[in-house]
Amino acid sequence: MRELGRLIRYARPYLGAMVAASILLAAAGALMSAVLSAVGPLTNDLFGAALPVAGETPPRANFDILERARALVPLPELARWLDRRSLARAPVFLLVVFLLRAVCLYFGEYLTSRAGARIIRDLRADLYEAVTYQSLRFFQEHPTGVILSRILSDVARLQRVTGPVLADLVRVGTMIPFLLLVALAANWRISLVALVALPGLGYPLLRLSRRLRAAASRSQESMAEAASLLAESVGGAKVVQGFGMERFEIGRFRSALERMLRADLKGARTAALAPAVLELLGAAAGAILFYVAAVWIRRDVLNPGDFLVVVTSLGFLFMSLRRFNQLNVELQQGLAAASRVFHMMDRERDIQDREGARPLPAFSREIRFEQVDFAYDGEKVLEGIELTIRRGEVVALVGPSGSGKTTLAHLVPRFYDPSSGRISVDGHDLREVTLASLRSQIGIVTQETVLFDDTVRNNIAYGRADVPLERVIEAARAAHAHEFVEKLPRGYDTLVGERGARLSMGERQRITIARALLKDPPVLILDEATSALDAESERLVQEALDNLMRGRTCIVIAHRLATVRRADRIVVMESGRIVEQGAHRELLARGGLYARLHALQFQESPA
């Protein structure tokens, strides 16, 4: 029930609307009970079928409720018409009651749905915020499909719980006690005979709730797996088609759907068991009720009109319990989704501001690594890193794949924190300054260009609507992007497509460089920024990078050694350690790892 309590906390801002909705829905339930309580008088009034109980005065053969209502009618003509048309009293009564009930139901369910939609909006926004602030480790552990499943699918299940299901729970929940009161008021003896079976009717609801939630959880896990496979295959469509693996991917997806089907069917079997048991117990209770009623009517102990009220009320009570069971199924599915949503929302952020963290002053001197170690899942990736990068220096990180170059660079903007040791900027430990102030001073350009399905202008200005177009154009010119942007159908207002699909690789890279230029950070990280380009695109991008790097402190990660010859210092890494440092010619002269890597790439002698 912890999940239900948290959902209720989300409902607090909309408590007024939900209370009003509850009152209206309760009124709708009471009006239905009023109709049922009038079944006996209606029967006697219309058909004259009331039989007196032995020793009692025969009841009046009229509809007393309407007699009292007639005195309140403000129009004398309508009152006189009702007097003349006694047979019209019952239909008019039913129309009035059901009109009022319809009004209560409409506004009650609308207010509930409106509050529920706002609750889901707040919940989805909070979940997205929690995910957005997670570290890179989180995104490595959770595939995109799983995250999308949580934010979209699981929260969508909760939308029914906070909307239609909640409205029905209030309506049905308030009807049940009213129906019991109507039945007991009509004839408490015969009602008690039927109500002996009530605990048995409620037992399946309580007994199967836990199994329903477990089955719903398994179904949602299977759906997340299918969503993850779908995201992978759609995102990698070129590879899938290029290798002719369409049937393979279809098979994988079908297998995931089969697992989801098995989980759904297991839940369906559990959900179907409760109504079957309810039907059986209800039939048994009904058989006993009719037998006892027949005996009592023959003995003049029970009035047929009262029995009709009792059996109608209990019939509606039974239907309400069945509906309650259906709502319980949806509620358990929603609570299973809530558990998964809150589990992801509550995950502690690996990287966050410490208490008392202060803004980082403008970078002025150096970035220093002091005996830095880093391990991922128990596997050491960096060990004993001692490195100082001075302001305005271009430092290239080179080494074999898996040597820790990218991980080392990712420690600077605190995408990860070191397992031990210290990283500082101008003497300030990165863990003691705010993330926002640190990252505002760092620009990143990677091999994997990240563009959003928005205009060129908004991709360059990214999140800064106040930036004038002139500054955007200035950054685009410096990135050698202005010329091709002007040729696009709508210039800077052209949509680039998902992940920049409407642009070439080189054009995308120049847009990302323009974005970094507009940010104007003092520290720049370049991660294989030109490795995926053709010669012409590489030349243009390299010229744009030269403009970007001018006057900045740069950390350049590169496998292609031709791109790092002009670096002020080359740091050579192997197996998570720094094994060499120096300028290009100096490292070649040493004949160490850098010289061997250089020889492999250029087929030259290490000497």
Side-chain angles (χ1 to χ4, degrees):
M1 299 300 289
R2 186 174 63 89
E3 292 83 6
L4 188 58
R6 289 190 65 173
L7 285 175
I8 291 172
R9 287 200 293 275
Y10 270 92
R12 282 178 183 169
Y14 317 107
L15 192 59
M18 298 192 76
V19 168
S22 299
I23 293 172
L24 288 168
L25 293 170
L31 287 167
M32 191 67 204
S33 302
V35 171
L36 295 177
S37 68
V39 167
L42 277 171
T43 302
N44 296 335
D45 195 30
L46 296 177
F47 302 109
L51 296 177
V53 177
E56 294 184 3
T57 304
R60 294 177 58 197
N62 60 26
F63 196 15
D64 290 336
I65 295 176
L66 289 175
E67 289 294 327
R68 290 192 295 271
R70 185 175 64 83
L72 302 175
V73 175
L75 298 176
E77 295 81 3
L78 180 57
R80 286 194 294 273
W81 184 83
L82 287 174
D83 279 337
R84 294 194 303 270
R85 307 286 184 180
S86 60
L87 290 179
R89 295 177 184 177
V92 168
F93 171 75
L94 291 175
L95 283 173
V96 170
V97 170
F98 277 100
L99 174 62
L100 292 173
R101 175 176 159 81
V103 171
C104 291
L105 283 176
Y106 171 77
F107 285 104
E109 293 189 4
Y110 170 72
L111 288 173
T112 304
S113 297
R114 188 178 70 171
R118 290 175 173 173
I119 291 169
I120 292 304
R121 175 200 61 191
D122 297 344
L123 181 61
R124 189 171 270 144
D126 286 353
L127 177 57
Y128 179 73
E129 179 179 337
V131 167
T132 302
Y133 278 110
Q134 289 292 348
S135 67
L136 291 185
R137 187 190 298 267
F138 172 87
F139 293 100
Q140 291 166 349
E141 293 174 355
H142 295 81
T144 303
V146 171
I147 296 173
L148 291 177
S149 178
R150 296 288 190 278
I151 297 175
L152 300 178
S153 177
D154 287 351
V155 176
R157 285 181 184 265
L158 287 175
Q159 188 159 8
R160 278 199 56 77
V161 172
T162 57
V165 172
L166 180 61
D168 274 3
L169 279 172
V170 172
R171 181 177 57 81
V172 174
T174 53
M175 273 187 66
I176 289 175
F178 280 120
L179 293 169
L180 285 173
L181 288 174
V182 169
L184 290 169
N187 191 293
W188 64 271
R189 294 182 181 88
I190 194 68
S191 298
L192 288 179
V193 172
L195 293 178
V196 170
L198 190 59
L201 295 175
Y203 177 74
L205 300 178
L206 300 175
R207 180 72 180 85
L208 297 175
S209 290
R210 189 172 299 175
R211 292 172 59 183
L212 282 169
R213 190 182 301 190
S217 183
R218 286 191 294 269
S219 173
Q220 291 159 19
E221 289 287 354
S222 301
M223 183 181 294
E225 180 189 357
S228 182
L229 285 174
L230 183 62
E232 284 182 356
S233 59
V234 171
K238 287 182 181 179
V239 175
V240 172
Q241 294 179 8
F243 281 81
M245 299 302 287
E246 292 91 343
R247 298 310 308 173
F248 172 74
E249 290 298 335
I250 291 170
R252 282 210 308 163
F253 190 65
R254 284 186 178 276
S255 297
L257 292 179
E258 283 297 322
R259 289 189 289 274
M260 187 165 66
L261 176 63
R262 287 195 294 270
D264 287 342
L265 291 179
K266 191 168 184 178
R269 287 195 297 271
T270 304
L273 184 58
V277 174
L278 286 174
E279 289 278 0
L280 182 60
L281 292 175
I288 296 171
L289 176 67
F290 274 92
Y291 176 78
V292 174
V295 172
W296 286 2
I297 289 174
R298 287 182 181 180
R299 294 177 181 175
D300 291 336
V301 176
L302 178 64
N303 187 311
D306 291 342
F307 173 67
L308 188 58
V309 173
V310 172
V311 77
T312 306
S313 299
L314 294 179
F316 270 89
L317 175 63
F318 176 72
M319 288 189 291
S320 297
L321 286 174
R322 284 201 61 183
R323 177 59 183 151
F324 209 82
N325 172 67
Q326 295 169 352
L327 295 173
N328 184 52
V329 172
E330 294 197 57
L331 179 62
Q332 297 307 320
Q333 291 174 342
L335 291 179
S339 177
R340 289 152 52 81
V341 167
F342 290 134
H343 177 75
M344 180 170 282
M345 188 184 294
D346 293 341
R347 169 162 171 159
E348 187 176 355
R349 299 176 190 172
D350 298 326
I351 308 297
Q352 58 184 318
D353 289 339
R354 287 185 176 179
E355 187 175 351
R358 294 170 296 179
L360 177 68
F363 175 58
S364 61
R365 298 193 308 275
E366 63 183 19
I367 302 170
R368 176 170 291 183
F369 295 76
E370 302 173 55
Q371 285 299 311
V372 170
D373 291 354
F374 179 77
Y376 189 85
D377 289 340
E379 181 180 352
K380 187 159 280 191
V381 180
L382 297 175
E383 185 175 0
I385 299 297
E386 285 279 350
L387 178 65
T388 299
I389 301 172
R390 291 174 291 277
R391 179 186 176 186
E393 189 177 21
V394 177
V395 174
L397 304 178
V398 302
S401 296
S403 58
K405 305 183 298 295
T406 299
T407 302
L408 178 62
H410 282 174
L411 293 176
V412 177
R414 279 195 73 195
F415 291 153
Y416 306 104
D417 275 339
S419 305
S420 63
R422 179 175 182 264
I423 306 172
S424 62
V425 173
D426 295 340
H428 300 279
D429 191 318
L430 297 189
R431 289 167 292 198
E432 302 298 333
V433 301
T434 62
L435 281 169
S437 64
L438 169 65
R439 292 175 180 173
S440 68
Q441 300 192 47
I442 300 173
I444 301 175
V445 179
T446 66
Q447 173 186 349
E448 183 185 0
T449 57
V450 178
L451 296 181
F452 302 93
D453 191 7
D454 205 338
T455 64
V456 173
R457 176 179 180 174
N458 289 341
N459 268 284
I460 294 175
Y462 186 45
R464 300 165 63 187
D466 58 324
V467 174
L469 180 59
E470 291 74 17
R471 286 193 59 198
V472 172
I473 293 175
E474 181 183 345
R477 288 185 188 278
H480 295 292
H482 179 69
E483 184 177 345
F484 80 80
V485 170
E486 278 195 318
K487 295 177 182 178
L488 295 174
R490 299 184 61 190
Y492 284 86
D493 291 324
T494 302
L495 293 172
V496 301
E498 185 179 3
R499 301 183 68 85
R502 296 173 186 168
L503 304 177
S504 70
M505 184 66 73
E507 289 169 342
R508 292 180 219 169
Q509 194 66 286
R510 280 176 275 168
I511 293 295
T512 62
I513 293 171
R515 178 194 296 161
L517 280 163
L518 189 64
K519 184 179 181 181
D520 194 22
V523 179
L524 186 65
I525 298 174
L526 304 177
D527 188 354
E528 296 288 348
T530 63
S531 62
L533 304 177
D534 58 71
E536 177 61 21
S537 296
E538 182 177 359
R539 181 184 65 80
L540 292 171
V541 169
Q542 189 59 57
E543 290 177 4
L545 287 173
D546 290 342
N547 291 336
L548 177 61
M549 294 167 66
R550 191 172 296 119
R552 305 181 201 277
T553 304
C554 300
I555 302 173
V556 181
I557 305 166
H559 285 291
R560 294 164 61 175
L561 302 186
T563 63
V564 301
R565 290 179 175 179
R566 291 181 294 171
D568 298 314
R569 185 159 39 115
I570 299 172
V571 176
V572 186
M573 300 186 65
E574 184 177 29
S575 301
R577 292 175 173 272
I578 295 176
V579 294
E580 293 181 306
Q581 291 188 57
H584 170 69
R585 293 187 178 277
E586 177 186 347
L587 292 174
L588 284 180
R590 287 183 190 172
L593 176 59
Y594 180 80
R596 292 197 299 273
L597 293 173
H598 192 273
L600 286 172
Q601 286 193 18
F602 296 97
Q603 296 182 350
E604 296 175 356
S605 168

